[in-house]
Each structure stands twice: as structure tokens, then as C-alpha cells.
Amino acid sequence: MLGRRRSFIPLLLFFIFFVVFMYGPMIAIFTLSFQGPGGGLTFPMRGASFHWFFELFQPQRVGDFKGSFIRSLSLASIVMILTVMISLAAGLAFRKGFKGASFVFYLSIASLIVPSILLTLGIGLLFDQLGFESQWYSSGLGAHLSWTLPFGLLIMFAVFNRFDKSYEEAARDMGASPRQVVQLVLLPIIAPSLVGVGLFGFTLSFDEFARSLLAMGVYNTLPLEIFGMTTTVTTPTLYALGTLTTSISFFVMGVSFWLITWFRKRRSGQFN
Amino acid sequence: MTRYLQITPLLLVLILFFIGPIIVIGVVSFWDYNAFSLIPDFVLTNYEELFSSGVTYTIYLKTLKFTLVTWLVTFLVGFTVAYFLAFHVQSLTWQMALFLICTIPFLTSNIIRMIAWIPVLGRHGLVNETLLGMGLIDKPLEWLLYSDFAVVLAFVHLYTLFMVVPIFNTMMRIDKSIIEAAYDAGANGWQTLIYVVLPLCKSGIAIGSIFVITLVMGDFVTIQTMSGGQSASVGVAMNNKRALLQYPAAAADAVVLLITVLIIVAVLMRFVNIRKEL
């Protein structure tokens, strides 16, 4: 390709600029969250300390941080497990094909792209009219699933479209029952992708705001609490919170990548 | 039989938390209300008020403007990034590593990513301090934060990934020999890009556009936060009505928004077969 050499450098510079644009502001608040006690919301740093992290755990200052944090972790864990199970089951069903498959598929896509403000209003109203109280573990859970399941399903589609059916045929030829084919052949092969689905389920739920707004009931999840703080908190506590939640997302990503590599290694080990 | 059992949980969630809420919104948009409660009824007043108010048109125009500008910028940036990754990075390992770097921010909190602009764009933020230091300006630029500029910047920051991923995905499927053929036939780099690569990325661009457009059209929190409450959009208007407990009015707003979004998506879907893309 002739054009490549000349355009490589400008494109590389553009890409670097893009990465800086993506990560720069985040790095700025991570740094600023370690401001000294006298420091403000902007540079320069006035000393360095964990002051604003300790401040975070003073309940009177920044609302219900601890409660909302625990709720968000619990909800994200539940959403993760349900997203993996339901997406996998649905993926298997789509693979075999069923009546109305294309309708259910487009329904899932619609659930993904429907404006969040509309959905959260609808879920709040639905629970209200049915006489149920909105709670994070009922209406809130549903709101999050309406967002994570379509992602999970799309990943399952991508996985099964690339899945080599001859593995299953070989297992069947050797006398495996349908259950054994799934348990001993299919699941181990797609395990890394399932970890990916779980990662999406957890992080998307943990950080979800738009669909949670009117669906959580009395007790806020963490993103809702943070949103409340954006207008009231004018100290680096806000940044400390950002550093903390982002660390959790990074931790979950780290664990997932480790698990994915582990599954891959185990599989290639078995085949050699 | 098992296949129907396997699809049931997904279907149940979609019926309860997608179809159900939309039906409720449709029904409630025809209800009446007073300061305290909702009154089940069948009135058209909510829609009449919506369409007779000049504010509605201003707000829709404003929302469409945000959508159009954001779409254009995310498309240009997203396409360029995807193009670099797909055609200029040679090794698959590097491709995947750089692609991962692009996707990681997607898995972190949107609100935190918005807050992160404060130390950069604020009155005493990095940009202003740098420009002041260089003597390019003599007082801080006020339009950097809490402005329409900040809103669009945040949208681009948050949603460009939704363009990069599907476009990169379609680009990776393009047979490299097609591009070589274009060069052999005498096309230069630009011509190859415009007449060969771009048309082949049509469906990826359409999927990315669907994401970006629906996310921006229905947005409430980015516009509220980044404009400092000074700019309006359909989502912000809906949320204000909701806060005043005018649920039927908010529901009517939601129905009109949904129809608008559906029309846009229907047009974009003509360019793409989603199931083939996966």
C-alpha cells in the first residue's frame, strides 16, 4: 500500500491525541484526589495526602456514601450473575432457532437503544401504578438488566457465529449426551467470552446512571449519589470518590483479564 | 422445547422492564393530572400543550443541534481512529492492545468522566492557566466549562467509542486485497478511502450512528451537568416536568421523543443487517 507510509505519522499522532483526550482528564482527577488538606479543585497541588479519602468516610459531609456504595456493589454483582446466565441461555436458544427469534432479537436491540430517560420514567410509573414500591433490587435491577442483557446477547451472538460446530459433532460421535456436550465441550470453549459478558454486566451496572434515575426508589445507588454531589460538593472529595470507583472498575477488569487468560491457558494445556 | 425455556428469562425481563414501561408511558400520556395526583382519563391536553408551546420546538431544535454536531465529530474521530487501528497497525497483538486501550474508558463511570473535565476546563483549570501563562489571553475563557461547548466535548468524550467499535469491526472484515486492487488500478490514498473503504464501512457507521444519536437524543445528565443547568434538551425538559410531578406531560414528551428516535433509527437500519455484523 503506497499511501500507508505517508499517512502513518499523522494518523499515529491523531491516535495519541485521542488517547490523551480519553485518559488525560481522568489522570488529572486521580492526581488531584491526593491534594493536601488545603488544596482545591484545580491545580496546583498543595501538598499530597489521603485527606480527601478519609473525608469520604465522614457521613455528614457527602451524603450516604457507604450505603450507596454497598448497594451498588451488591446490585452490580446480582446483575453480573443474571446477565451471564440469561444471555447464555438466550444465546443457546437463538443458536438452535425458535419461532419469533427475530422478533425477540429486535426487541433486545430496541431495549438497548430506547432513550434511557424514557425507560426509567416508564419503570417508575409502572411500579407506582401496580402499587409496588420501587427498590434497587426490584425496579432498579430490572432497569439495569434492560441495559446489560442486550449487550450480553450481542456478545453471545458474536461468540456463536464464530463457534466451530465440529467440536460438538466430534463429542456426539464419541457418544456424549446433549448435556455432556454443553458441559464438557461448549462451556469450556466459550468460558472466556462468558467472563467478558460478566465484566460488562458488572461494570455497566456499577456505573449506570441514566436508567437508574427514577427506578431506584428511596435508596440511591452510587452514581446517583455522585450526581447529587456534583452540585453540592466543592472539594477534592469528589475526585477521591472518582478515584475509588474507577479503581474498582479497574480491579474488576483486571480480575476478568486474569480469568480469561487462565481459561485460555487451561484449554490450550488440555489440547497439547 | 428447551429452546423456549432458554429464551423465557430474557423475554420476561424485556416484557416487564421494556414493553411494560413503554405501554404505561403511552397510557399515562393520555391521563389528566392536578397538583397532587394522576387522574386516569383519555384527554389530548398533554399533547396539545406540547405542540402548542413554542418552547417545545426550540428544545427539539436544540437537541437536534447537539445530536448533529456530536454525531459529526464522533464519526470523524471514530472513523479516523478505527482506520488507523485496522489499516496502519500491522501486528494483530498491537491491534488488540490498542483497541483495548480505546475500550477501557467505556467500562468506567460516565459521571466521573464528566467531572474529570472540571480541573481541565474550569476558570482556573489547566487550559486557562496554560493560555494565560503563554500570554495568549488576558482573562480566563468562560465558555470552556458550563457551556454548549462543554456539553459537546463531553458527548464526544463519552460516546466516540460507540463509533470506534462497530466501524473497527467492519473494517477488520474488509479483504485487504480489495484495497491493493484499488491501488493497482491507479487510485490514490484518498480515492481508495472515499470510494472503497468508506462504502464498505457503511454498516459499521450506521450502527455507531444509531448508538450516538439515540444516546444524545435521550440525554439528560450530560447536558444538565456540563451546561451547568443553562442549556435545555428534550431529556432535561422531561425531567423538569417529572420533578414537578407532571407525569402525564412528561409521558407525552417521552412518546414524541420515542417516535422521533424510531424514525431516525428506521432510516439508519436500511443501511445495515445487525445480525450479519456480529
Side-chain angles (χ1 to χ4, degrees):
Chain A
M1 274 182 257
L2 289 166
R4 184 188 289 144
R5 270 176 226 105
R6 260 184 301 134
S7 51
F8 179 78
I9 298 293
L11 280 170
L12 176 69
L13 289 177
F14 186 85
F15 183 77
I16 293 171
F17 175 78
F18 176 72
V19 172
V20 171
F21 172 70
M22 279 289 142
Y23 288 87
M26 299 289 278
I27 293 168
I29 64 162
F30 297 156
T31 316
L32 285 166
S33 63
F34 296 100
Q35 273 278 25
L41 282 174
T42 48
F43 287 102
M45 295 285 284
R46 294 179 204 284
S49 73
F50 289 102
H51 177 82
W52 305 106
F53 288 90
F54 288 118
E55 197 80 341
L56 209 54
F57 291 92
Q58 310 291 319
Q60 72 278 11
R61 287 292 176 93
V62 284
D64 182 21
F65 162 68
K66 227 168 115 183
S68 61
F69 182 62
I70 293 168
R71 270 191 293 282
S72 271
L73 277 182
S74 322
L75 182 58
S77 308
I78 299 169
V79 169
M80 175 180 76
I81 294 166
L82 288 178
T83 304
V84 172
M85 285 170 35
I86 298 175
S87 311
L88 173 64
L92 290 170
F94 272 107
R95 199 162 165 249
K96 283 177 270 186
F98 57 91
K99 248 189 215 154
S102 129
F103 172 74
V104 179
F105 178 75
Y106 282 108
L107 204 60
S108 315
I109 299 296
S111 174
L112 184 65
I113 61 177
V114 68
S116 301
I117 179 96
L118 186 151
L119 201 71
T120 194
L121 177 74
I123 291 175
L125 276 172
L126 177 71
F127 269 64
D128 210 40
Q129 292 306 314
L130 291 176
F132 300 139
E133 208 178 328
S134 289
Q135 294 283 4
W136 62 267
Y137 49 78
S138 57
S139 48
L141 176 64
H144 282 196
L145 287 177
S146 76
W147 174 235
T148 60
L149 284 181
F151 274 112
L153 191 65
L154 288 179
I155 298 177
M156 290 321 298
F157 264 92
V159 170
F160 283 132
N161 278 354
R162 288 166 180 74
F163 191 84
D164 189 349
K165 283 197 170 117
S166 51
Y167 287 126
E168 287 166 291
E169 276 159 24
R172 267 193 293 273
D173 289 347
M174 290 165 85
S177 69
R179 201 194 169 84
Q180 282 174 318
V181 171
V182 172
Q183 272 181 0
L184 300 174
V185 177
L186 189 109
L187 282 182
I189 293 178
I190 64 167
S193 311
L194 291 180
V195 174
V197 174
L199 170 66
F200 266 68
F202 187 94
T203 54
L204 290 181
S205 163
F206 187 67
D207 299 323
E208 216 295 322
F209 175 85
R211 294 188 182 207
S212 311
L213 191 61
L214 309 171
M216 283 302 162
V218 197
Y219 299 107
N220 278 346
T221 49
L222 194 58
L224 294 175
E225 205 68 29
I226 298 174
F227 179 64
M229 290 175 202
T230 54
T231 45
T232 54
V233 179
T234 50
T235 62
T237 319
L238 202 56
Y239 299 157
L241 195 52
T243 305
L244 201 68
T245 57
T246 312
S247 314
I248 289 171
S249 300
F250 272 93
F251 175 74
V252 175
M253 280 183 243
V255 171
S256 308
F257 290 132
W258 178 79
L259 262 177
I260 289 170
T261 347
W262 185 76
F263 275 121
R264 288 228 170 106
K265 262 192 199 145
R266 200 180 68 151
R267 193 181 148 212
S268 57
Q270 278 175 348
F271 276 70
N272 287 336
Chain B
M1 207 42 225
T2 26
R3 58 193 72 175
Y4 290 97
L5 277 176
Q6 284 168 334
I7 200 67
T8 306
L10 175 71
L11 203 53
L12 272 179
V13 171
L14 289 176
I15 289 170
L16 268 172
F17 296 102
F18 175 60
I19 298 180
I22 287 183
I23 291 175
V24 171
I25 285 195
V27 171
V28 170
S29 71
F30 292 104
W31 284 11
D32 205 354
Y33 61 96
N34 58 31
F36 315 103
S37 59
L38 309 182
I39 305 157
D41 200 344
F42 188 84
V43 293
L44 294 172
T45 43
N46 300 310
Y47 289 101
E48 281 164 9
E49 276 166 23
L50 192 66
F51 286 115
S52 63
S53 158
V55 180
T56 309
Y57 298 98
T58 323
I59 285 176
Y60 264 86
L61 213 65
K62 182 93 189 174
T63 310
L64 285 173
K65 221 168 86 186
F66 275 135
T67 309
L68 201 68
V69 176
T70 308
W71 174 79
L72 190 68
V73 180
T74 52
F75 164 64
L76 291 175
V77 176
F79 188 88
T80 313
V81 168
Y83 182 77
F84 172 74
L85 288 179
F87 293 114
H88 286 266
V89 180
Q90 300 294 323
S91 86
L92 194 68
T93 321
W94 269 105
Q95 247 169 1
M96 284 306 139
L98 295 180
F99 180 71
L100 219 56
I101 288 179
C102 291
T103 39
I104 284 173
F106 174 65
L107 300 175
T108 61
S109 165
N110 277 5
I111 301 216
I112 300 294
R113 288 172 71 199
M114 281 181 233
I115 293 170
W117 284 107
I118 296 174
V120 180
L121 299 180
R123 185 173 301 165
H124 302 290
L126 287 173
V127 173
N128 270 327
E129 294 294 311
T130 313
L131 290 177
L132 282 170
M134 285 160 68
L136 288 172
I137 49 173
D138 45 8
K139 59 178 200 293
L141 298 173
E142 298 285 347
W143 52 264
L144 284 178
L145 193 60
Y146 306 129
S147 60
D148 288 354
F149 167 78
V151 172
V152 172
L153 188 78
F155 276 141
V156 172
H157 190 222
L158 294 174
Y159 299 146
T160 301
L161 291 172
F162 286 93
M163 279 287 190
V164 175
V165 175
I167 296 178
F168 177 69
N169 187 35
T170 43
M171 278 180 177
M172 290 297 277
R173 286 152 185 250
I174 296 176
D175 188 345
K176 297 280 189 289
S177 56
I178 295 177
I179 291 162
E180 306 245 353
Y183 280 114
D184 289 346
N188 63 27
W190 267 112
Q191 287 169 327
T192 312
L193 181 68
I194 304 293
Y195 297 109
V196 180
V197 179
L198 197 64
L200 287 172
C201 296
K202 206 170 56 182
S203 54
I205 296 168
I207 293 178
S209 306
I210 290 174
F211 270 115
V212 171
I213 289 170
T214 53
L215 283 165
V216 177
M217 288 289 292
D219 178 84
F220 140 75
V221 66
T222 314
I223 292 175
Q224 178 100 347
T225 310
M226 296 309 283
S227 77
Q230 290 168 33
S231 210
S233 74
V234 182
V236 173
M238 263 177 69
N239 192 51
N240 290 343
K241 286 177 189 165
R242 195 268 317 164
L244 294 167
L245 300 181
Q246 301 172 344
Y247 284 100
D253 242 352
V255 170
V256 176
L257 174 68
L258 184 64
I259 292 169
T260 316
V261 169
L262 280 180
I263 292 171
I264 298 174
V265 171
V267 171
L268 286 168
M269 287 290 268
R270 299 184 69 92
F271 296 99
V272 59
N273 180 345
I274 293 187
R275 286 182 76 164
K276 274 203 187 134
E277 282 305 310
L278 297 163

